[in-house]
Amino acid sequence: SGPFVVGDDGFLRHREDELVVEPVRFGTDEAAVNAFDEGAADLAFVPSSHEGAVSVVVPATVEVHFALRVDRPALESVDARRAVIEAVGRSAVTRNIFGESAFAIGGLEPEPQVCPAPCGGVSPAASPVIDALSVAYVIEPTGRERELAELVVADLQAAGIDAAAVGLDLDDFVEQVSAGAHDLVRTGWLGLFPSADSQLAPFRSTSEDNVSGYASAPFDELAAAARTDGTAMSHHDARQLLEDAAVVLPVARLQIRALVSDRIESITLRSDGSLDVGSLRLVD
């Protein structure tokens, strides 16, 4: 839609200035960056391994989480779940796994219940005793999911919480998680646009995607209100309940990073990684 037309060459053109945007396919992000460096491309998305300066950074609507199974014996206690969440150093995990392609998030992290001593003479609460935890993830070709789970496990072990990473193929992962197995389960959120409903829906007690086992009538009511009235307050209150219950360990939000040539004066990339062609302006 918009002021565009397909030219005789098959490319999409802007009707006003006959601007041509030609997509060029490369096998890897690294190959695209090399083409950009050689002047063969004006826009290239960079991989997480890219350490140089970039032209555009846009937060993506993709988040990395671990759901905590509230119905598992080791995590039935809210204090135990809070201890798990507080044990994971998200900034270090995000930096090690995603580099500059993501930033650590803590939007669902519960508030500390006590401050470290000394703090007005108040001693911190004793750490709860937590049985060994299993941290489930899906095996994939890059090995990134394994590394992510192992870093989370390392942080838990450093905090005195026994844990082990369990890698599964997708079918086994779905089957075992659906059956209520494992204590921490690799989850996340992916949306074409930020949506209160899409973030909250997996935690509703009736949701088929509820792998946390969390069930709360007040939360269901607030999530339903966020869906129908779209108010920020309903969304905020529902997220606050998740924070209080320590249901999810948020780790990172991905970023879209791109190189833009000097020929381009202005450009807008959307949070889903697509290009707003109407925003594209070239240097005279």
Side-chain angles (χ1 to χ4, degrees):
S1 62
F4 309 110
V5 63
V6 177
D8 294 336
D9 54 5
F11 293 121
L12 190 68
R13 298 181 182 275
H14 195 277
R15 287 197 181 110
E16 295 177 359
D17 54 14
E18 291 297 306
L19 179 65
V20 176
V21 177
E22 179 183 358
V24 183
R25 185 183 299 274
F26 296 96
T28 64
D29 289 335
E30 289 81 359
V33 171
N34 290 336
F36 178 89
D37 292 338
E38 295 169 359
D42 294 293
L43 171 69
F45 295 96
V46 301
S48 58
S49 58
H50 183 81
E51 297 180 350
V54 297
S55 308
V56 179
V57 179
V58 179
T61 49
V62 181
E63 292 184 0
V64 176
H65 303 161
F66 283 87
L68 278 67
R69 299 277 327 195
V70 303
D71 52 356
R72 296 275 293 179
L75 296 176
E76 286 180 337
S77 162
V78 173
D79 289 338
R81 297 197 297 272
R82 285 174 178 155
V84 167
I85 290 174
E86 292 168 0
V88 179
R90 304 170 206 193
S91 295
V93 169
T94 299
R95 182 172 59 253
N96 284 321
I97 297 298
F98 301 104
E100 297 297 322
S101 293
F103 56 91
I105 56 175
L108 298 179
E109 182 175 4
E111 294 295 327
Q113 299 302 298
V114 294
C115 52
C119 180
V122 178
S123 298
S127 300
V129 177
I130 303 174
D131 293 335
L133 304 175
S134 61
V135 181
Y137 67 94
V138 175
I139 299 171
E140 42 74 45
T142 70
R144 177 179 287 180
E145 290 295 319
R146 174 184 54 78
E147 294 174 8
L148 172 61
E150 289 179 348
L151 283 177
V152 169
V153 164
D155 278 355
L156 293 174
Q157 292 176 340
I161 301 172
D162 189 15
V166 180
L168 302 164
D169 63 36
L170 182 58
D171 290 341
D172 288 340
F173 178 87
V174 172
E175 180 180 354
Q176 293 185 25
V177 168
S178 299
H182 306 292
D183 301 292
L184 272 70
V185 178
R186 170 68 165 89
T187 57
W189 172 68
L190 168 64
L192 294 181
F193 56 91
S195 164
D197 181 60
S198 64
Q199 287 185 319
L200 298 175
F203 299 99
R204 297 176 70 171
S205 57
T206 57
S207 172
E208 294 181 354
D209 298 320
N210 187 346
V211 298
S212 65
Y214 176 66
S216 166
F219 174 84
D220 288 344
E221 293 174 3
L222 288 170
R227 169 180 289 183
T228 56
D229 62 28
T231 63
M233 185 57 67
S234 296
H235 182 214
H236 174 271
D237 290 347
R239 287 176 66 98
Q240 187 64 53
L241 284 183
L242 292 177
E243 290 180 14
D244 292 342
V247 175
V248 61
L249 167 63
V251 177
R253 184 167 185 175
L254 302 191
Q255 299 188 113
I256 299 166
R257 302 188 303 152
L259 299 171
V260 177
S261 77
D262 294 338
R263 296 181 58 216
I264 298 177
E265 184 176 77
S266 67
I267 189 173
T268 298
L269 298 178
R270 302 185 182 93
S271 57
D272 63 356
S274 61
L275 166 65
D276 180 357
V277 179
S279 72
L280 192 59
R281 297 291 183 272
L282 301 182
V283 176
D284 293 334

